[in-house]
Structure formats: C-alpha cells, structure tokens
mmCIF file of all heavy atoms in Angstrom:
data_model
loop_
_atom_site.group_PDB
_atom_site.id
_atom_site.type_symbol
_atom_site.label_atom_id
_atom_site.label_comp_id
_atom_site.label_asym_id
_atom_site.label_seq_id
_atom_site.Cartn_x
_atom_site.Cartn_y
_atom_site.Cartn_z
ATOM 1 N N LYS A 13 46.711 133.313 25.768
ATOM 2 C CA LYS A 13 45.237 133.365 25.537
ATOM 3 C C LYS A 13 44.482 133.620 26.773
ATOM 4 O O LYS A 13 43.313 134.096 26.683
ATOM 5 C CB LYS A 13 44.816 131.965 24.856
ATOM 6 C CG LYS A 13 45.406 131.692 23.616
ATOM 7 C CD LYS A 13 44.882 130.229 23.046
ATOM 8 C CE LYS A 13 45.457 130.060 21.652
ATOM 9 N NZ LYS A 13 44.830 128.729 21.151
ATOM 10 N N ALA A 14 45.103 133.407 28.053
ATOM 11 C CA ALA A 14 44.345 133.615 29.162
ATOM 12 C C ALA A 14 45.229 134.460 30.238
ATOM 13 O O ALA A 14 46.373 134.196 30.232
ATOM 14 C CB ALA A 14 44.023 132.294 29.789
ATOM 15 N N LEU A 15 44.627 135.330 30.830
ATOM 16 C CA LEU A 15 45.137 136.138 31.798
ATOM 17 C C LEU A 15 44.367 136.313 33.049
ATOM 18 O O LEU A 15 43.201 136.348 33.063
ATOM 19 C CB LEU A 15 45.328 137.710 31.256
ATOM 20 C CG LEU A 15 45.663 138.819 32.122
ATOM 21 C CD1 LEU A 15 47.010 138.717 32.851
ATOM 22 C CD2 LEU A 15 45.540 140.121 31.421
ATOM 23 N N ILE A 16 45.031 136.131 34.168
ATOM 24 C CA ILE A 16 44.407 136.335 35.581
ATOM 25 C C ILE A 16 44.886 137.653 36.092
ATOM 26 O O ILE A 16 46.167 137.900 36.129
ATOM 27 C CB ILE A 16 44.809 135.197 36.559
ATOM 28 C CG1 ILE A 16 43.973 135.326 37.858
ATOM 29 C CG2 ILE A 16 46.146 135.076 36.765
ATOM 30 C CD1 ILE A 16 44.045 134.052 38.675
ATOM 31 N N CYS A 17 43.899 138.426 36.665
ATOM 32 C CA CYS A 17 44.344 139.656 37.222
ATOM 33 C C CYS A 17 43.432 139.922 38.497
ATOM 34 O O CYS A 17 42.749 139.087 38.942
ATOM 35 C CB CYS A 17 44.003 140.834 36.207
ATOM 36 S SG CYS A 17 42.038 141.026 35.941
ATOM 37 N N TYR A 18 43.647 141.202 39.110
ATOM 38 C CA TYR A 18 42.759 141.488 40.280
ATOM 39 C C TYR A 18 42.801 143.044 40.399
ATOM 40 O O TYR A 18 43.333 143.745 39.503
ATOM 41 C CB TYR A 18 43.272 140.881 41.526
ATOM 42 C CG TYR A 18 44.519 141.379 42.137
ATOM 43 C CD1 TYR A 18 44.535 141.984 43.504
ATOM 44 C CD2 TYR A 18 45.707 141.424 41.482
ATOM 45 C CE1 TYR A 18 45.702 142.441 44.099
ATOM 46 C CE2 TYR A 18 46.945 142.015 42.136
ATOM 47 C CZ TYR A 18 46.831 142.507 43.332
ATOM 48 O OH TYR A 18 48.005 143.003 43.903
ATOM 49 N N GLY A 19 42.271 143.576 41.445
ATOM 50 C CA GLY A 19 41.966 144.983 41.469
ATOM 51 C C GLY A 19 43.165 145.807 41.461
ATOM 52 O O GLY A 19 43.090 146.875 40.947
ATOM 53 N N LYS A 20 44.219 145.514 41.972
ATOM 54 C CA LYS A 20 45.545 146.213 41.876
ATOM 55 C C LYS A 20 46.440 145.911 40.697
ATOM 56 O O LYS A 20 47.485 146.394 40.610
ATOM 57 C CB LYS A 20 46.221 145.976 43.236
ATOM 58 C CG LYS A 20 45.593 146.677 44.391
ATOM 59 C CD LYS A 20 46.329 146.483 45.698
ATOM 60 C CE LYS A 20 45.593 147.093 46.897
ATOM 61 N NZ LYS A 20 46.337 147.000 48.161
ATOM 62 N N SER A 21 45.897 145.146 39.774
ATOM 63 C CA SER A 21 46.565 144.906 38.489
ATOM 64 C C SER A 21 45.656 145.210 37.400
ATOM 65 O O SER A 21 44.997 144.369 36.726
ATOM 66 C CB SER A 21 46.880 143.406 38.437
ATOM 67 O OG SER A 21 47.650 143.024 37.262
ATOM 68 N N PRO A 22 45.558 146.513 37.108
ATOM 69 C CA PRO A 22 44.539 146.969 36.000
ATOM 70 C C PRO A 22 44.746 146.345 34.659
ATOM 71 O O PRO A 22 45.999 146.226 34.305
ATOM 72 C CB PRO A 22 44.556 148.450 35.976
ATOM 73 C CG PRO A 22 45.533 148.843 37.158
ATOM 74 C CD PRO A 22 46.227 147.577 37.672
ATOM 75 N N VAL A 23 43.769 146.105 33.960
ATOM 76 C CA VAL A 23 43.836 145.677 32.538
ATOM 77 C C VAL A 23 43.309 146.775 31.631
ATOM 78 O O VAL A 23 42.064 146.977 31.501
ATOM 79 C CB VAL A 23 43.134 144.296 32.254
ATOM 80 C CG1 VAL A 23 43.285 143.913 30.827
ATOM 81 C CG2 VAL A 23 43.650 143.274 33.154
ATOM 82 N N THR A 24 44.188 147.603 31.136
ATOM 83 C CA THR A 24 43.876 148.765 30.308
ATOM 84 C C THR A 24 43.874 148.442 28.760
ATOM 85 O O THR A 24 44.368 147.371 28.377
ATOM 86 C CB THR A 24 44.879 149.934 30.704
ATOM 87 O OG1 THR A 24 46.078 149.439 30.401
ATOM 88 C CG2 THR A 24 44.818 150.190 32.135
ATOM 89 N N THR A 25 43.547 149.471 28.016
ATOM 90 C CA THR A 25 43.719 149.300 26.574
ATOM 91 C C THR A 25 45.017 149.102 26.196
ATOM 92 O O THR A 25 45.384 148.357 25.287
ATOM 93 C CB THR A 25 43.027 150.524 25.885
ATOM 94 O OG1 THR A 25 41.788 150.740 26.325
ATOM 95 C CG2 THR A 25 43.200 150.456 24.467
ATOM 96 N N ASN A 26 46.067 149.732 26.854
ATOM 97 C CA ASN A 26 47.474 149.563 26.477
ATOM 98 C C ASN A 26 48.001 148.141 26.749
ATOM 99 O O ASN A 26 48.710 147.578 25.950
ATOM 100 C CB ASN A 26 48.300 150.523 27.372
ATOM 101 C CG ASN A 26 48.191 152.006 26.965
ATOM 102 O OD1 ASN A 26 47.789 152.262 25.852
ATOM 103 N ND2 ASN A 26 48.433 152.787 27.890
ATOM 104 N N ILE A 27 47.361 147.454 27.879
ATOM 105 C CA ILE A 27 47.763 146.078 28.230
ATOM 106 C C ILE A 27 47.210 145.237 27.028
ATOM 107 O O ILE A 27 47.835 144.278 26.585
ATOM 108 C CB ILE A 27 47.179 145.653 29.541
ATOM 109 C CG1 ILE A 27 47.962 146.461 30.634
ATOM 110 C CG2 ILE A 27 47.337 144.170 29.738
ATOM 111 C CD1 ILE A 27 49.382 146.018 30.859
ATOM 112 N N LEU A 28 46.020 145.376 26.664
ATOM 113 C CA LEU A 28 45.179 144.548 25.727
ATOM 114 C C LEU A 28 45.932 144.740 24.348
ATOM 115 O O LEU A 28 46.006 143.774 23.553
ATOM 116 C CB LEU A 28 43.741 144.987 25.584
ATOM 117 C CG LEU A 28 42.908 144.726 26.954
ATOM 118 C CD1 LEU A 28 41.487 145.311 26.769
ATOM 119 C CD2 LEU A 28 42.898 143.284 27.155
ATOM 120 N N ASN A 29 46.426 145.971 24.093
ATOM 121 C CA ASN A 29 47.100 146.159 22.801
ATOM 122 C C ASN A 29 48.329 145.240 22.689
ATOM 123 O O ASN A 29 48.802 144.872 21.582
ATOM 124 C CB ASN A 29 47.554 147.568 22.620
ATOM 125 C CG ASN A 29 46.374 148.497 22.298
ATOM 126 O OD1 ASN A 29 45.376 148.026 21.706
ATOM 127 N ND2 ASN A 29 46.533 149.714 22.581
ATOM 128 N N LEU A 30 48.931 144.919 23.725
ATOM 129 C CA LEU A 30 50.112 144.116 23.781
ATOM 130 C C LEU A 30 49.889 142.656 23.732
ATOM 131 O O LEU A 30 50.803 141.759 23.634
ATOM 132 C CB LEU A 30 51.031 144.416 25.059
ATOM 133 C CG LEU A 30 51.588 145.855 25.161
ATOM 134 C CD1 LEU A 30 52.220 145.991 26.548
ATOM 135 C CD2 LEU A 30 52.553 145.980 24.003
ATOM 136 N N LEU A 31 48.519 142.323 23.932
ATOM 137 C CA LEU A 31 48.178 140.875 23.904
ATOM 138 C C LEU A 31 47.067 140.500 22.832
ATOM 139 O O LEU A 31 45.992 140.288 23.140
ATOM 140 C CB LEU A 31 47.652 140.504 25.363
ATOM 141 C CG LEU A 31 48.681 140.685 26.476
ATOM 142 C CD1 LEU A 31 47.879 140.603 27.800
ATOM 143 C CD2 LEU A 31 49.805 139.752 26.445
ATOM 144 N N PRO A 32 47.468 140.559 21.649
ATOM 145 C CA PRO A 32 46.510 140.435 20.417
ATOM 146 C C PRO A 32 45.874 139.026 20.445
ATOM 147 O O PRO A 32 44.824 138.856 19.835
ATOM 148 C CB PRO A 32 47.375 140.650 19.184
ATOM 149 C CG PRO A 32 48.735 140.264 19.605
ATOM 150 C CD PRO A 32 48.876 140.687 21.055
ATOM 151 N N SER A 33 46.463 138.013 21.146
ATOM 152 C CA SER A 33 45.902 136.621 21.106
ATOM 153 C C SER A 33 44.901 136.355 22.278
ATOM 154 O O SER A 33 44.486 135.268 22.448
ATOM 155 C CB SER A 33 46.966 135.598 20.967
ATOM 156 O OG SER A 33 47.754 135.826 19.781
ATOM 157 N N LEU A 34 44.880 137.293 23.249
ATOM 158 C CA LEU A 34 44.186 137.076 24.448
ATOM 159 C C LEU A 34 42.660 136.826 24.158
ATOM 160 O O LEU A 34 42.002 137.527 23.439
ATOM 161 C CB LEU A 34 44.241 138.399 25.354
ATOM 162 C CG LEU A 34 43.722 138.227 26.864
ATOM 163 C CD1 LEU A 34 44.615 137.210 27.615
ATOM 164 C CD2 LEU A 34 43.725 139.535 27.458
ATOM 165 N N GLN A 35 42.072 135.830 24.759
ATOM 166 C CA GLN A 35 40.736 135.353 24.621
ATOM 167 C C GLN A 35 39.885 135.377 25.954
ATOM 168 O O GLN A 35 38.693 135.408 25.863
ATOM 169 C CB GLN A 35 40.647 134.032 23.895
ATOM 170 C CG GLN A 35 41.217 133.929 22.560
ATOM 171 C CD GLN A 35 41.294 132.513 21.974
ATOM 172 O OE1 GLN A 35 40.410 131.717 22.348
ATOM 173 N NE2 GLN A 35 42.171 132.323 20.994
ATOM 174 N N LEU A 36 40.645 135.171 27.117
ATOM 175 C CA LEU A 36 40.000 135.204 28.290
ATOM 176 C C LEU A 36 40.734 135.973 29.415
ATOM 177 O O LEU A 36 41.959 135.908 29.522
ATOM 178 C CB LEU A 36 39.968 133.703 28.819
ATOM 179 C CG LEU A 36 39.354 133.410 30.239
ATOM 180 C CD1 LEU A 36 37.975 133.793 30.344
ATOM 181 C CD2 LEU A 36 39.588 131.985 30.722
ATOM 182 N N LEU A 37 39.990 136.729 30.164
ATOM 183 C CA LEU A 37 40.458 137.474 31.231
ATOM 184 C C LEU A 37 39.609 137.099 32.532
ATOM 185 O O LEU A 37 38.485 137.225 32.578
ATOM 186 C CB LEU A 37 40.319 138.970 31.023
ATOM 187 C CG LEU A 37 41.116 139.953 31.676
ATOM 188 C CD1 LEU A 37 41.065 141.325 31.102
ATOM 189 C CD2 LEU A 37 40.737 140.069 33.113
ATOM 190 N N VAL A 38 40.329 136.504 33.448
ATOM 191 C CA VAL A 38 39.681 135.974 34.694
ATOM 192 C C VAL A 38 40.304 137.040 35.836
ATOM 193 O O VAL A 38 41.484 137.159 35.967
ATOM 194 C CB VAL A 38 40.010 134.663 35.029
ATOM 195 C CG1 VAL A 38 39.398 134.175 36.381
ATOM 196 C CG2 VAL A 38 39.557 133.666 33.979
ATOM 197 N N THR A 39 39.365 137.619 36.712
ATOM 198 C CA THR A 39 39.709 138.440 37.698
ATOM 199 C C THR A 39 39.376 137.711 38.943
ATOM 200 O O THR A 39 38.440 137.091 39.184
ATOM 201 C CB THR A 39 39.003 139.808 37.671
ATOM 202 O OG1 THR A 39 39.489 140.535 38.741
ATOM 203 C CG2 THR A 39 37.464 139.693 37.687
ATOM 204 N N ALA A 40 40.412 137.811 39.919
ATOM 205 C CA ALA A 40 40.211 137.158 41.146
ATOM 206 C C ALA A 40 39.585 138.112 42.226
ATOM 207 O O ALA A 40 39.969 138.313 43.333
ATOM 208 C CB ALA A 40 41.623 136.779 41.779
ATOM 209 N N SER A 41 38.538 138.621 41.729
ATOM 210 C CA SER A 41 37.670 139.510 42.460
ATOM 211 C C SER A 41 36.271 139.584 42.018
ATOM 212 O O SER A 41 36.017 138.990 40.937
ATOM 213 C CB SER A 41 38.253 141.006 42.334
ATOM 214 O OG SER A 41 38.174 141.470 40.993
ATOM 215 N N THR A 42 35.396 140.305 42.725
ATOM 216 C CA THR A 42 33.990 140.398 42.274
ATOM 217 C C THR A 42 33.754 141.568 41.355
ATOM 218 O O THR A 42 33.018 141.420 40.335
ATOM 219 C CB THR A 42 33.045 140.545 43.458
ATOM 220 O OG1 THR A 42 33.268 139.468 44.352
ATOM 221 C CG2 THR A 42 31.649 140.634 43.055
ATOM 222 N N GLY A 43 34.496 142.619 41.634
ATOM 223 C CA GLY A 43 34.260 143.873 40.919
ATOM 224 C C GLY A 43 35.253 143.916 39.578
ATOM 225 O O GLY A 43 36.062 143.051 39.477
ATOM 226 N N PHE A 44 34.840 144.936 38.711
ATOM 227 C CA PHE A 44 35.534 144.972 37.412
ATOM 228 C C PHE A 44 36.134 146.433 37.128
ATOM 229 O O PHE A 44 36.410 146.676 36.032
ATOM 230 C CB PHE A 44 34.403 144.703 36.262
ATOM 231 C CG PHE A 44 33.767 143.427 36.457
ATOM 232 C CD1 PHE A 44 32.390 143.362 36.828
ATOM 233 C CD2 PHE A 44 34.387 142.233 36.145
ATOM 234 C CE1 PHE A 44 31.830 142.184 37.121
ATOM 235 C CE2 PHE A 44 33.718 140.955 36.248
ATOM 236 C CZ PHE A 44 32.388 140.948 36.765
ATOM 237 N N ASN A 45 36.080 147.320 38.182
ATOM 238 C CA ASN A 45 36.541 148.559 37.954
ATOM 239 C C ASN A 45 37.981 148.766 37.323
ATOM 240 O O ASN A 45 38.427 149.745 36.932
ATOM 241 C CB ASN A 45 36.145 149.594 39.025
ATOM 242 C CG ASN A 45 36.751 149.155 40.335
ATOM 243 O OD1 ASN A 45 36.516 148.009 40.826
ATOM 244 N ND2 ASN A 45 37.733 149.955 40.951
ATOM 245 N N HIS A 46 38.598 147.728 37.524
ATOM 246 C CA HIS A 46 40.139 147.614 36.959
ATOM 247 C C HIS A 46 40.320 147.180 35.624
ATOM 248 O O HIS A 46 41.412 146.853 35.179
ATOM 249 C CB HIS A 46 40.981 146.853 38.140
ATOM 250 C CG HIS A 46 40.420 145.477 38.203
ATOM 251 N ND1 HIS A 46 39.356 145.174 38.856
ATOM 252 C CD2 HIS A 46 40.925 144.220 37.748
ATOM 253 C CE1 HIS A 46 39.083 143.861 38.822
ATOM 254 N NE2 HIS A 46 40.108 143.291 38.273
ATOM 255 N N ILE A 47 39.147 146.754 34.987
ATOM 256 C CA ILE A 47 39.098 146.225 33.710
ATOM 257 C C ILE A 47 38.338 147.128 32.589
ATOM 258 O O ILE A 47 37.399 147.538 33.039
ATOM 259 C CB ILE A 47 38.540 144.805 33.722
ATOM 260 C CG1 ILE A 47 39.126 143.796 34.655
ATOM 261 C CG2 ILE A 47 38.426 144.252 32.356
ATOM 262 C CD1 ILE A 47 38.494 142.575 34.913
ATOM 263 N N ASP A 48 38.999 147.306 31.487
ATOM 264 C CA ASP A 48 38.259 148.113 30.483
ATOM 265 C C ASP A 48 37.431 147.081 29.805
ATOM 266 O O ASP A 48 37.595 146.405 28.688
ATOM 267 C CB ASP A 48 39.388 148.660 29.411
ATOM 268 C CG ASP A 48 38.702 149.588 28.507
ATOM 269 O OD1 ASP A 48 37.431 149.424 28.230
ATOM 270 O OD2 ASP A 48 39.445 150.381 27.972
ATOM 271 N N LEU A 49 36.191 147.003 30.301
ATOM 272 C CA LEU A 49 35.184 145.975 29.818
ATOM 273 C C LEU A 49 34.731 146.289 28.330
ATOM 274 O O LEU A 49 34.494 145.377 27.630
ATOM 275 C CB LEU A 49 33.938 145.948 30.733
ATOM 276 C CG LEU A 49 34.181 145.400 32.099
ATOM 277 C CD1 LEU A 49 32.859 145.409 32.943
ATOM 278 C CD2 LEU A 49 34.523 143.965 31.933
ATOM 279 N N ASP A 50 34.503 147.614 28.030
ATOM 280 C CA ASP A 50 34.095 147.836 26.640
ATOM 281 C C ASP A 50 35.065 147.510 25.631
ATOM 282 O O ASP A 50 34.650 146.942 24.609
ATOM 283 C CB ASP A 50 33.858 149.456 26.513
ATOM 284 C CG ASP A 50 32.667 149.926 27.376
ATOM 285 O OD1 ASP A 50 31.757 149.043 27.595
ATOM 286 O OD2 ASP A 50 32.605 151.055 27.723
ATOM 287 N N GLU A 51 36.436 147.678 25.985
ATOM 288 C CA GLU A 51 37.541 147.281 25.049
ATOM 289 C C GLU A 51 37.494 145.731 24.993
ATOM 290 O O GLU A 51 37.723 145.238 23.872
ATOM 291 C CB GLU A 51 38.764 147.809 25.614
ATOM 292 C CG GLU A 51 39.930 147.720 24.583
ATOM 293 C CD GLU A 51 39.776 148.453 23.355
ATOM 294 O OE1 GLU A 51 39.095 149.588 23.371
ATOM 295 O OE2 GLU A 51 40.247 148.158 22.304
ATOM 296 N N CYS A 52 37.270 145.050 26.103
ATOM 297 C CA CYS A 52 37.330 143.529 26.053
ATOM 298 C C CYS A 52 36.158 143.159 25.142
ATOM 299 O O CYS A 52 36.416 142.201 24.361
ATOM 300 C CB CYS A 52 37.150 143.019 27.513
ATOM 301 S SG CYS A 52 38.686 143.141 28.465
ATOM 302 N N ARG A 53 34.961 143.696 25.303
ATOM 303 C CA ARG A 53 33.809 143.303 24.457
ATOM 304 C C ARG A 53 34.089 143.612 22.954
ATOM 305 O O ARG A 53 33.795 142.686 22.130
ATOM 306 C CB ARG A 53 32.488 144.095 24.880
ATOM 307 C CG ARG A 53 32.107 143.667 26.332
ATOM 308 C CD ARG A 53 30.704 144.256 26.537
ATOM 309 N NE ARG A 53 30.335 144.002 27.941
ATOM 310 C CZ ARG A 53 30.251 144.867 28.951
ATOM 311 N NH1 ARG A 53 30.790 146.092 28.732
ATOM 312 N NH2 ARG A 53 29.941 144.602 30.096
ATOM 313 N N SER A 54 34.740 144.725 22.730
ATOM 314 C CA SER A 54 35.008 145.009 21.274
ATOM 315 C C SER A 54 35.964 143.955 20.629
ATOM 316 O O SER A 54 36.075 143.885 19.508
ATOM 317 C CB SER A 54 35.412 146.461 21.126
ATOM 318 O OG SER A 54 36.790 146.609 21.657
ATOM 319 N N ARG A 55 36.804 143.416 21.452
ATOM 320 C CA ARG A 55 37.853 142.465 20.975
ATOM 321 C C ARG A 55 37.399 141.115 21.054
ATOM 322 O O ARG A 55 38.233 140.147 20.661
ATOM 323 C CB ARG A 55 39.185 142.729 21.763
ATOM 324 C CG ARG A 55 39.833 144.066 21.594
ATOM 325 C CD ARG A 55 40.925 144.269 22.586
ATOM 326 N NE ARG A 55 41.560 145.604 22.522
ATOM 327 C CZ ARG A 55 42.722 145.822 22.028
ATOM 328 N NH1 ARG A 55 43.473 144.951 21.587
ATOM 329 N NH2 ARG A 55 43.145 147.137 21.963
ATOM 330 N N GLY A 56 36.250 140.808 21.668
ATOM 331 C CA GLY A 56 35.764 139.593 21.786
ATOM 332 C C GLY A 56 36.416 138.747 22.972
ATOM 333 O O GLY A 56 36.474 137.525 22.875
ATOM 334 N N ILE A 57 36.964 139.396 23.880
ATOM 335 C CA ILE A 57 37.614 138.795 24.993
ATOM 336 C C ILE A 57 36.643 138.469 26.208
ATOM 337 O O ILE A 57 35.913 139.323 26.713
ATOM 338 C CB ILE A 57 38.717 139.695 25.570
ATOM 339 C CG1 ILE A 57 39.803 139.874 24.583
ATOM 340 C CG2 ILE A 57 39.427 139.002 26.808
ATOM 341 C CD1 ILE A 57 40.778 141.058 24.871
ATOM 342 N N ALA A 58 36.533 137.305 26.527
ATOM 343 C CA ALA A 58 35.557 136.805 27.578
ATOM 344 C C ALA A 58 36.048 137.319 28.926
ATOM 345 O O ALA A 58 37.406 137.300 29.090
ATOM 346 C CB ALA A 58 35.327 135.357 27.502
ATOM 347 N N VAL A 59 35.291 137.727 29.773
ATOM 348 C CA VAL A 59 35.635 138.178 31.167
ATOM 349 C C VAL A 59 34.902 137.287 32.186
ATOM 350 O O VAL A 59 33.692 137.192 32.010
ATOM 351 C CB VAL A 59 35.428 139.666 31.387
ATOM 352 C CG1 VAL A 59 35.798 140.107 32.724
ATOM 353 C CG2 VAL A 59 36.234 140.345 30.184
ATOM 354 N N ALA A 60 35.625 136.869 33.234
ATOM 355 C CA ALA A 60 34.895 136.077 34.232
ATOM 356 C C ALA A 60 35.345 136.589 35.592
ATOM 357 O O ALA A 60 36.599 136.943 35.788
ATOM 358 C CB ALA A 60 35.169 134.639 34.123
#
C-alpha cells in the first residue's frame, strides 16, 4: 500500500501497473520529476 522512492528510482506507469493496491507514494526528495503524477492522480494514489 505504501512505497518510498527518490530521484534515481523513478515511479513510472509500468511500476504503478504492477502495484494495483498502492495508495501512498512518499518521495525522499523535494522534486517530483521522477514520478508520473498524472497517473498517480488518476489512480487515487496520494503523493508526499
């Protein structure tokens, strides 16, 4: 349900497809250019 990532560990649509139960994505960074934010929003995945 929860995943922690950072800039050198991108969270792509392919990653999200493999995690259908994911509800929270926490990045250990300030930026988000390694995260597919639009895809997270469409799936209802919270991002912090």
Side-chain angles (χ1 to χ4, degrees):
K13 294 183 178 181
L15 163 65
I16 182 172
C17 67
Y18 76 120
K20 293 183 180 179
S21 181
V23 179
T24 63
T25 300
N26 290 337
I27 294 291
L28 296 174
N29 285 338
L30 295 171
L31 299 170
S33 298
L34 190 66
Q35 297 177 24
L36 174 67
L37 201 165
V38 179
T39 179
S41 63
T42 301
F44 307 102
N45 56 297
H46 56 290
I47 299 171
D48 190 333
L49 287 177
D50 291 337
E51 190 66 26
C52 286
R53 291 189 184 101
S54 70
R55 296 169 185 253
I57 299 171
V59 179

